[in-house]
Amino acid sequence: MREAIHNLEASKIREVANAGMGRADVLAFWFGEGDEVTPEPIRQAAIASLQQGETFYAHNLGLPELREAVARYMSGLHPAIDAARIAITSGGVSALMLAVQALVDAGDEVVAVTPVWPNLTAQPAILGARVRSVPLVPKAGQWTLDLDALRAAVTPATKLLVLNAPNNPTGWTLTRAEQQAILDHCRSTGTWILADEVYERLYYEPTPNGCAPSFLDVAAPDDRLVVVHSFSKSFLMTGWRLGWLVLPPALVEGMGKLIEFNTSCTSVFTQRAGIAALAHSAEITPRVVAHLKTCRDTLVTLLAELPGVQVAPARGGMYAFFRLEGFDDSLALAKRLVGEAGLGLAPGNAFAPQAQGWLRWCFASRDPQRLVQGVERLRGWLDKQARA
Ligand SMILES: Cc1ncc(COP(=O)(O)O)c(C=O)c1O
């Protein structure tokens, strides 16, 4: 096996989950998905497609109808985007991998803003790139970007800058001014930007267009920018494996070839479900986001009342990222919480070494009472530690 694969770190989130999966008494918030099934009209569209016998291979870049529908949807949120720039992929994670395959050679330098979902740093490493990190800095529980540190790290030697905002796990988001500054800098160094914006609709700040600031709002179509999207989060479709890329026109033909050699195409019934999701987005997504905001506020308010906790409300995404005074080893703490409190959280150091001591709690819960129960378990466990 190649050394790069051999050196891949096993998932620390899995390590915690393996200790508690299948145990009915554990309240699990470790993975990044909610517990609500995909809305009915989306499921019906997939069923109808299968009933009609749509069981064959399809276009590499996706059904023209879905590419058109995605372009219309994106153009409603951002400056107009042509359907010819859209590639449909088998999930956001495949979109990310395809982008990295298209842009990065073995030995290239990639800079990633961290903490971040581990796939974003593992994928360039799999291809043999050297991945360097620009760490976000926590200030009173809110993670912030040091723009000067990013400018210093991204040089003409940097092939690709990887950013995920709204961010998993910290809830960090970018402002439009920061995006403009990053774009200007990357234009001057000739660096590609890979912007993972899968959480753009899960944004809790007031905004006219119902989504987080996007690089698409500041970039020109032929900038060195690839934006990754997913149906997973805004449409409750994690298990479907459906996402898309927004590409500069010059990358589209090559991307079609790459998709041929990765997955060939996304299954047609899944794409039909995607068309239905977009057709119903005005009902589905605002409801999902309003509910997630209730979940976030419920959880963060209760967490903030615990002794020695450092936490701030996430501006976007679906995670509370927090730390507890006196507990500096995330993995050990997460394992103890599973074993001793029946509470399943993800260890912060799964997302970057500098997040050692932090924990991630996915607040996408159909019933916010589960979150209340989870905090009660944590409070009870902390009380026991204080008494011991
Ligand atoms: C930051 C980020 N990007 C991309 C994805 C990929 O989502 P999917 O492959 O389900 O579309 C996830 C999933 O958790 C994520 O957190």
mmCIF file of all heavy atoms in Angstrom, residues 32 91-94 96 117 120 164 168 196 198-199 229-233 238 241-243 319, ligand 1:
data_model
loop_
_atom_site.group_PDB
_atom_site.id
_atom_site.type_symbol
_atom_site.label_atom_id
_atom_site.label_comp_id
_atom_site.label_asym_id
_atom_site.label_seq_id
_atom_site.Cartn_x
_atom_site.Cartn_y
_atom_site.Cartn_z
ATOM 1 N N GLY A 32 -22.100 14.028 12.104
ATOM 2 C CA GLY A 32 -22.641 15.268 11.559
ATOM 3 C C GLY A 32 -23.888 15.047 10.740
ATOM 4 O O GLY A 32 -23.905 15.351 9.547
ATOM 5 N N GLY A 91 -22.327 13.031 -3.699
ATOM 6 C CA GLY A 91 -22.086 13.574 -2.360
ATOM 7 C C GLY A 91 -21.048 14.683 -2.370
ATOM 8 O O GLY A 91 -20.247 14.801 -3.312
ATOM 9 N N GLY A 92 -21.081 15.485 -1.298
ATOM 10 C CA GLY A 92 -20.107 16.561 -1.156
ATOM 11 C C GLY A 92 -18.694 16.019 -1.030
ATOM 12 O O GLY A 92 -17.741 16.595 -1.548
ATOM 13 N N VAL A 93 -18.555 14.887 -0.364
ATOM 14 C CA VAL A 93 -17.206 14.351 -0.135
ATOM 15 C C VAL A 93 -16.565 13.937 -1.458
ATOM 16 O O VAL A 93 -15.367 14.144 -1.668
ATOM 17 C CB VAL A 93 -17.239 13.210 0.917
ATOM 18 C CG1 VAL A 93 -17.905 11.977 0.410
ATOM 19 C CG2 VAL A 93 -15.845 12.897 1.403
ATOM 20 N N SER A 94 -17.358 13.400 -2.370
ATOM 21 C CA SER A 94 -16.828 13.054 -3.690
ATOM 22 C C SER A 94 -16.506 14.330 -4.472
ATOM 23 O O SER A 94 -15.489 14.395 -5.189
ATOM 24 C CB SER A 94 -17.840 12.186 -4.441
ATOM 25 O OG SER A 94 -17.362 11.893 -5.726
ATOM 26 N N LEU A 96 -15.468 17.093 -3.229
ATOM 27 C CA LEU A 96 -14.185 17.578 -2.688
ATOM 28 C C LEU A 96 -13.016 16.788 -3.266
ATOM 29 O O LEU A 96 -12.005 17.359 -3.686
ATOM 30 C CB LEU A 96 -14.174 17.442 -1.161
ATOM 31 C CG LEU A 96 -15.021 18.438 -0.374
ATOM 32 C CD1 LEU A 96 -15.236 17.954 1.052
ATOM 33 C CD2 LEU A 96 -14.335 19.808 -0.358
ATOM 34 N N TRP A 117 -13.249 19.605 9.189
ATOM 35 C CA TRP A 117 -13.644 18.209 8.980
ATOM 36 C C TRP A 117 -12.458 17.455 8.359
ATOM 37 O O TRP A 117 -11.898 17.930 7.358
ATOM 38 C CB TRP A 117 -14.842 18.215 8.033
ATOM 39 C CG TRP A 117 -15.563 16.928 7.899
ATOM 40 C CD1 TRP A 117 -15.999 16.118 8.900
ATOM 41 C CD2 TRP A 117 -15.959 16.318 6.678
ATOM 42 N NE1 TRP A 117 -16.654 15.050 8.369
ATOM 43 C CE2 TRP A 117 -16.637 15.140 7.013
ATOM 44 C CE3 TRP A 117 -15.814 16.648 5.325
ATOM 45 C CZ2 TRP A 117 -17.165 14.288 6.057
ATOM 46 C CZ3 TRP A 117 -16.334 15.816 4.375
ATOM 47 C CH2 TRP A 117 -17.004 14.643 4.727
ATOM 48 N N LEU A 120 -11.098 17.042 4.556
ATOM 49 C CA LEU A 120 -10.545 18.124 3.735
ATOM 50 C C LEU A 120 -9.019 18.158 3.762
ATOM 51 O O LEU A 120 -8.397 18.639 2.817
ATOM 52 C CB LEU A 120 -11.104 19.485 4.168
ATOM 53 C CG LEU A 120 -12.419 19.866 3.504
ATOM 54 C CD1 LEU A 120 -13.581 19.131 4.100
ATOM 55 C CD2 LEU A 120 -12.641 21.350 3.572
ATOM 56 N N ASN A 164 -13.355 25.844 4.730
ATOM 57 C CA ASN A 164 -14.736 25.392 4.941
ATOM 58 C C ASN A 164 -15.428 26.376 5.892
ATOM 59 O O ASN A 164 -15.136 26.408 7.082
ATOM 60 C CB ASN A 164 -14.739 23.971 5.538
ATOM 61 C CG ASN A 164 -16.066 23.613 6.191
ATOM 62 O OD1 ASN A 164 -16.097 23.172 7.337
ATOM 63 N ND2 ASN A 164 -17.146 23.814 5.493
ATOM 64 N N ASN A 168 -17.338 23.224 9.940
ATOM 65 C CA ASN A 168 -17.452 22.030 10.768
ATOM 66 C C ASN A 168 -16.039 21.765 11.281
ATOM 67 O O ASN A 168 -15.166 21.501 10.455
ATOM 68 C CB ASN A 168 -17.934 20.853 9.911
ATOM 69 C CG ASN A 168 -17.906 19.537 10.654
ATOM 70 O OD1 ASN A 168 -17.675 19.494 11.854
ATOM 71 N ND2 ASN A 168 -18.140 18.450 9.920
ATOM 72 N N ASP A 196 -15.448 24.927 0.597
ATOM 73 C CA ASP A 196 -16.483 23.973 0.989
ATOM 74 C C ASP A 196 -17.598 24.780 1.641
ATOM 75 O O ASP A 196 -17.451 25.244 2.775
ATOM 76 C CB ASP A 196 -15.872 22.948 1.955
ATOM 77 C CG ASP A 196 -16.898 21.963 2.471
ATOM 78 O OD1 ASP A 196 -18.097 22.280 2.473
ATOM 79 O OD2 ASP A 196 -16.482 20.868 2.897
ATOM 80 N N VAL A 198 -20.851 23.689 2.001
ATOM 81 C CA VAL A 198 -22.017 22.797 2.141
ATOM 82 C C VAL A 198 -22.989 23.273 3.229
ATOM 83 O O VAL A 198 -24.154 22.901 3.216
ATOM 84 C CB VAL A 198 -21.626 21.311 2.398
ATOM 85 C CG1 VAL A 198 -20.714 20.771 1.329
ATOM 86 C CG2 VAL A 198 -21.045 21.098 3.771
ATOM 87 N N TYR A 199 -22.484 24.104 4.166
ATOM 88 C CA TYR A 199 -23.373 24.603 5.230
ATOM 89 C C TYR A 199 -23.880 26.012 4.942
ATOM 90 O O TYR A 199 -24.343 26.688 5.862
ATOM 91 C CB TYR A 199 -22.627 24.590 6.575
ATOM 92 C CG TYR A 199 -22.282 23.199 7.070
ATOM 93 C CD1 TYR A 199 -20.997 22.685 6.950
ATOM 94 C CD2 TYR A 199 -23.248 22.384 7.658
ATOM 95 C CE1 TYR A 199 -20.681 21.410 7.399
ATOM 96 C CE2 TYR A 199 -22.950 21.113 8.110
ATOM 97 C CZ TYR A 199 -21.660 20.635 7.979
ATOM 98 O OH TYR A 199 -21.364 19.373 8.426
ATOM 99 N N HIS A 229 -20.706 21.796 -2.867
ATOM 100 C CA HIS A 229 -22.030 21.822 -2.245
ATOM 101 C C HIS A 229 -22.576 20.412 -2.060
ATOM 102 O O HIS A 229 -22.107 19.464 -2.687
ATOM 103 C CB HIS A 229 -23.004 22.630 -3.100
ATOM 104 C CG HIS A 229 -22.970 24.072 -2.755
ATOM 105 N ND1 HIS A 229 -23.561 24.550 -1.623
ATOM 106 C CD2 HIS A 229 -22.378 25.124 -3.364
ATOM 107 C CE1 HIS A 229 -23.346 25.851 -1.548
ATOM 108 N NE2 HIS A 229 -22.631 26.225 -2.591
ATOM 109 N N SER A 230 -23.618 20.349 -1.241
ATOM 110 C CA SER A 230 -24.190 19.046 -0.920
ATOM 111 C C SER A 230 -25.685 19.180 -0.672
ATOM 112 O O SER A 230 -26.140 20.216 -0.194
ATOM 113 C CB SER A 230 -23.522 18.523 0.349
ATOM 114 O OG SER A 230 -24.195 17.386 0.818
ATOM 115 N N PHE A 231 -26.420 18.128 -0.986
ATOM 116 C CA PHE A 231 -27.842 18.069 -0.613
ATOM 117 C C PHE A 231 -28.001 17.574 0.835
ATOM 118 O O PHE A 231 -29.095 17.611 1.375
ATOM 119 C CB PHE A 231 -28.599 17.119 -1.554
ATOM 120 C CG PHE A 231 -28.891 17.724 -2.902
ATOM 121 C CD1 PHE A 231 -27.941 17.703 -3.908
ATOM 122 C CD2 PHE A 231 -30.123 18.314 -3.169
ATOM 123 C CE1 PHE A 231 -28.204 18.259 -5.154
ATOM 124 C CE2 PHE A 231 -30.400 18.879 -4.407
ATOM 125 C CZ PHE A 231 -29.433 18.854 -5.408
ATOM 126 N N SER A 232 -26.901 17.059 1.414
ATOM 127 C CA SER A 232 -27.015 16.358 2.696
ATOM 128 C C SER A 232 -27.632 17.187 3.808
ATOM 129 O O SER A 232 -28.487 16.707 4.546
ATOM 130 C CB SER A 232 -25.627 15.902 3.171
ATOM 131 O OG SER A 232 -25.165 14.843 2.377
ATOM 132 N N LYS A 233 -27.159 18.424 3.955
ATOM 133 C CA LYS A 233 -27.477 19.170 5.173
ATOM 134 C C LYS A 233 -28.769 19.978 5.027
ATOM 135 O O LYS A 233 -29.642 19.887 5.879
ATOM 136 C CB LYS A 233 -26.316 20.096 5.544
ATOM 137 C CG LYS A 233 -24.938 19.462 5.427
ATOM 138 C CD LYS A 233 -24.664 18.394 6.463
ATOM 139 C CE LYS A 233 -23.340 17.697 6.172
ATOM 140 N NZ LYS A 233 -22.988 16.684 7.165
ATOM 141 N N THR A 238 -28.444 12.991 3.854
ATOM 142 C CA THR A 238 -27.067 12.467 4.015
ATOM 143 C C THR A 238 -26.854 11.115 3.327
ATOM 144 O O THR A 238 -25.832 10.890 2.701
ATOM 145 C CB THR A 238 -26.698 12.330 5.512
ATOM 146 O OG1 THR A 238 -27.755 11.648 6.180
ATOM 147 C CG2 THR A 238 -26.465 13.669 6.165
ATOM 148 N N ARG A 241 -26.161 10.509 -0.958
ATOM 149 C CA ARG A 241 -24.885 10.784 -1.607
ATOM 150 C C ARG A 241 -25.085 11.636 -2.862
ATOM 151 O O ARG A 241 -24.936 11.172 -3.991
ATOM 152 C CB ARG A 241 -24.108 9.484 -1.946
ATOM 153 C CG ARG A 241 -24.120 8.420 -0.892
ATOM 154 C CD ARG A 241 -23.737 8.931 0.508
ATOM 155 N NE ARG A 241 -22.483 9.645 0.504
ATOM 156 C CZ ARG A 241 -22.357 10.897 0.985
ATOM 157 N NH1 ARG A 241 -23.375 11.560 1.507
ATOM 158 N NH2 ARG A 241 -21.195 11.484 0.948
ATOM 159 N N LEU A 242 -25.447 12.892 -2.640
ATOM 160 C CA LEU A 242 -25.699 13.808 -3.754
ATOM 161 C C LEU A 242 -25.138 15.191 -3.428
ATOM 162 O O LEU A 242 -25.440 15.759 -2.375
ATOM 163 C CB LEU A 242 -27.214 13.888 -4.002
ATOM 164 C CG LEU A 242 -27.670 14.652 -5.239
ATOM 165 C CD1 LEU A 242 -27.134 14.019 -6.522
ATOM 166 C CD2 LEU A 242 -29.206 14.692 -5.309
ATOM 167 N N GLY A 243 -24.292 15.677 -4.332
ATOM 168 C CA GLY A 243 -23.713 17.005 -4.147
ATOM 169 C C GLY A 243 -23.433 17.631 -5.500
ATOM 170 O O GLY A 243 -23.835 17.098 -6.537
ATOM 171 N N TYR A 319 -23.173 22.559 14.758
ATOM 172 C CA TYR A 319 -22.361 22.026 15.844
ATOM 173 C C TYR A 319 -22.129 23.082 16.920
ATOM 174 O O TYR A 319 -21.914 24.250 16.608
ATOM 175 C CB TYR A 319 -20.989 21.587 15.312
ATOM 176 C CG TYR A 319 -21.112 20.682 14.111
ATOM 177 C CD1 TYR A 319 -20.980 21.202 12.825
ATOM 178 C CD2 TYR A 319 -21.412 19.331 14.260
ATOM 179 C CE1 TYR A 319 -21.130 20.384 11.706
ATOM 180 C CE2 TYR A 319 -21.566 18.516 13.156
ATOM 181 C CZ TYR A 319 -21.427 19.050 11.881
ATOM 182 O OH TYR A 319 -21.592 18.262 10.786
HETATM 183 C C1 LIG B 1 -17.506 20.400 5.992
HETATM 184 C C2 LIG B 1 -18.136 19.266 5.261
HETATM 185 N N1 LIG B 1 -17.964 19.183 3.948
HETATM 186 C C3 LIG B 1 -18.514 18.182 3.231
HETATM 187 C C4 LIG B 1 -19.276 17.223 3.842
HETATM 188 C C5 LIG B 1 -19.786 16.143 2.956
HETATM 189 O O1 LIG B 1 -21.106 15.911 2.975
HETATM 190 P P1 LIG B 1 -21.736 14.807 2.033
HETATM 191 O O2 LIG B 1 -20.645 13.951 1.510
HETATM 192 O O3 LIG B 1 -22.697 14.069 2.886
HETATM 193 O O4 LIG B 1 -22.405 15.560 0.940
HETATM 194 C C6 LIG B 1 -19.468 17.264 5.226
HETATM 195 C C7 LIG B 1 -20.215 16.215 5.926
HETATM 196 O O5 LIG B 1 -20.300 16.144 7.128
HETATM 197 C C8 LIG B 1 -18.891 18.321 5.951
HETATM 198 O O6 LIG B 1 -19.038 18.440 7.278
#
